[in-house]
Amino acid sequence: MKFCTKCGSEIVDDAVVCVHCGCQVANSAKKGNDGLATASKIFLILGCIAQGWMILPLAWCLPITISACNKMNRGEPVGTGLKVCALLFVSLIGGILLLCRSDEN
């Protein structure tokens, strides 16, 4: 059992809405802790490191990687444009994993 963050009532573990106050319950599974998110982050970071010897590509690799990782950490959906940019400019494998990842909220 878990507790509602708004009213403090006890609710079922897989509840989406609190039955007592009607507020949406935060779901920890949507916070980007899934395997695809972790693998995507690792490959994006490795892509930045691999291109680090060429200083100029870091101007777009780092912002793309930071933005994608921050969105996954906050549980926000990562847009298709950002996924494609990660695929083309940072890491082929990381971008493919991002495109395979479902971003439902």
Side-chain angles (χ1 to χ4, degrees), residues 13 22-23 26-27 30-31 38-40 60 78 83 85-86 92-94 97 101 103:
D13 287 334
C23 291
N27 190 352
K30 304 269 178 161
K31 294 290 183 194
T38 303
S40 300
W60 57 80
V78 180
K83 292 177 181 180
C85 286
L92 181 68
I93 297 171
L97 291 174
R101 187 172 174 266
D103 283 325

Side-chain angles (χ1 to χ4, degrees), residues 29-104:
K30 304 269 178 161
K31 294 290 183 194
N33 292 330
D34 59 60
L36 277 178
T38 303
S40 300
K41 291 176 195 175
I42 290 170
F43 281 106
L44 291 176
I45 292 169
L46 289 175
C48 285
I49 292 170
Q51 295 183 38
W53 65 274
M54 301 180 294
I55 302 300
L56 188 59
L58 287 180
W60 57 80
C61 289
L62 285 176
I64 291 171
T65 300
I66 291 169
S67 178
C69 288
N70 284 340
K71 285 182 178 279
M72 286 186 280
N73 287 341
R74 290 190 300 255
E76 298 175 0
V78 180
T80 305
L82 184 58
K83 292 177 181 180
V84 171
C85 286
L87 171 82
L88 296 175
F89 300 118
V90 182
S91 168
L92 181 68
I93 297 171
I96 291 170
L97 291 174
L98 279 174
L99 286 168
C100 292
R101 187 172 174 266
S102 173
D103 283 325
E104 299 171 358

